[in-house]
Amino acid sequence: MTRHAVRTLGDVYDHPVGRDVLDKIALQIGVSPSFIVNPLTRRIPLTVLDRVAGRAAPGLVEALTDLLEMNPDRLDDADTHTEGQSEPPWWQGAVFYQIYPRSFADSNGDGIGDLRGIISKLDYLQTLGVDCLWLSPIFDSPNDDMGYDVRDYRAVMDLMGSMEDLDELIEQVHARDMRIILDLVVNHSSAEHEWFQEALRDPDGDKAAYYFLREGSPDAPPNNWVSFFSGSAWRWFDDIKRWGMHLFAPSQMDLNWDNPAVRREVADIVQFWLARGIDGFRMDVINYISKTAGLPNGVPAVGELVGFTGIERYFIGPHLHEYLRELRSAGFTRPDGSHALMVGETPGIGIEVGRLLTNRQRREMDLIFNFDVLEPPGKIRWDDYRYPPAYFLDFYLRYLRRLGPDDQMAIFAENHDNPRIVSKITLDPRWRGAAAKLIATISLTLPGTPFIFQGQELGAVNQDFTSLDQLRDVESLNYFRELIDGGATRDEAWDRILAGSRDHARVPMRWTDEGGFTTGQPWITGTDMEAGWSAAEQLDDEHSVLNFYRYLISVRQYFAHDDFTLLTRSGHYAAWTRGHYLVEVNLSERTIRRPLSVSRMPGRTVMTSLGSTVRSERPRPDELPPYGVLIRLLD
Ligand code: ISL
Ligand code: CA
């Protein structure tokens, strides 16, 4: 692989990592990237930039060049051998549905969702029309981070059921012509995993080398990295007089992927599950697995900029691509040579590095989640603000323009780590359904692989939690403490928690008007009791969000492999075609005019978001109501 020296601003921009970084900066300050990098500025030497920026943010430019040099891969360096005109892989036209098992359906009344609960809802999922289920963690876990802390990668968490239940679930999913992927959480394991327990018993033994354990003194952690769940990323284990690294909760110990034995273990785990019929994995924070050798301190200026000191030392580490390729061949390849699906959860990864990770010719992963879609410039999850749906559309349009024939993007608006998209967009109950349908339309008609999170198909909204004891998430609880310790009042701290808590997405599914999730006491309660929004009620309502999703998913097969053409994108309006379907959307909360150039195109209306606003309010034919959608089949 050729190494390109990075000396000028232009070199940075020509580098995939640099391009992503500069694009992010441009987005945040609200300018076009060409405002920063253009023929005039391209030749500015980084040494000069360092002198200018160095005063305000010492070390920033050096951190950037380090990062770029640590990541020499470029798409044009990749193996360019084309695989020929093979059939598109199954997942390309698929609609994914994420289940948060704990909160989906409880079969035995203990208040916690489980595998038999999921089995009991397979008819519902089939009616919805989704092709592949992704289950958030169901492996044995002490649940400090709700299963994202795995104690045994080969056992089912007892709260979820048994191995037999899982086998039955897999079988029944397949019998319905659907597929199923699980969650692979291998950047870290639970401290209760036998590997770590053995490391504690023998801190110089081979299992200790599975983790990052460092000698030192209890008052000075080995470096300045911070945890995503507050505080230092290091925890002192007094029994063995060693520090242990945890990028997440103190009981989620980071695994050392530089140890080949760890990589072999992970490949074996994947093989174990593939043999049981699993169709692939979503891979938790998979871009964090390769840490910079020597675990050097993070640059404080970077930490201040992005909020997490140390992140530039591991979010695209030096061996990331290598380890993924190895795992694909050693773990994700079946005996017949076919590959199971690899979906990477990749916080912080931009479009170009995303392409490096998923371009078909490179044989790393198949899809990744690009999280930049979740907050518009200047906002973070904890801010209370209204999310402009135009940002959602424009984000994916921009993404699309950058993709080549061997790239594919995943489209998503929600997951178990984020508040509900409808509440982010609008708090006005009149537009709840329309906003939900607008996101559905963009997600399901743009060329990409859509992921729907449970409840999204019901237009679920955030919960009016009123006190901390209603929350369960370690991140929210720790962050509240951190805010108070930092001098915030309880009200200030609570406002931030309420805006961003992951628990909004984790309350039980609303199956019936009374709830229908459990016959017992749910492990966490939801507060949204608005009539008409449960699954049962929506199935009976032809204008419901649920039936809108069902419709779009069912017709998707007719255009999923067809061309996409953007006809108009101006102001709050956009129109595009996908195959013979013509889609028009209003991205605002005001009624807007449809341009004649589009409204005159001959075709018949097959779907509108009507009915999700005030029932009697029929829009004029030349207008689109707030967040309105109009879908026609062209003649
Ligand atoms: O909530 C976040 C941190 O502030 C997110 O950045 C999130 O932690 C990140 O996207 C990684 O998420 C995944 O790994 C975590 C787990 O808690 C999340 O539920 C999971 O989706 C650690 O395993
Ligand atoms: Ca249960």
Side-chain angles (χ1 to χ4, degrees), residues 478-489 492-493:
N478 286 4
Y479 187 46
F480 186 82
R481 244 316 89 228
E482 182 182 310
L483 288 165
I484 298 288
D485 292 347
T489 67
E492 286 163 355

Side-chain angles (χ1 to χ4, degrees), residues 105-114 159:
D106 173 24
S107 70
N108 62 353
D110 67 354
I112 296 174
D114 46 53
L159 292 169

Side-chain angles (χ1 to χ4, degrees), residues 100 134 145 148-149 183 185 188 228-229 248 252 282 284-285 288 308 345 347 371 381-382 415-417 473-475 502 506:
Y100 196 68
W134 149 29
D145 188 21
Y148 284 92
D149 46 329
D183 216 314
V185 188
H188 42 266
F228 291 96
F229 295 162
F248 292 90
Q252 290 169 297
R282 172 267 194 191
D284 193 64
V285 290
Y288 291 1
F308 300 107
E345 194 231 11
F371 288 100
R381 173 154 55 91
W382 306 107
N415 62 24
H416 63 295
D417 291 335
D473 183 23
V474 56
E475 183 200 42
R502 309 195 294 187
R506 299 179 178 190

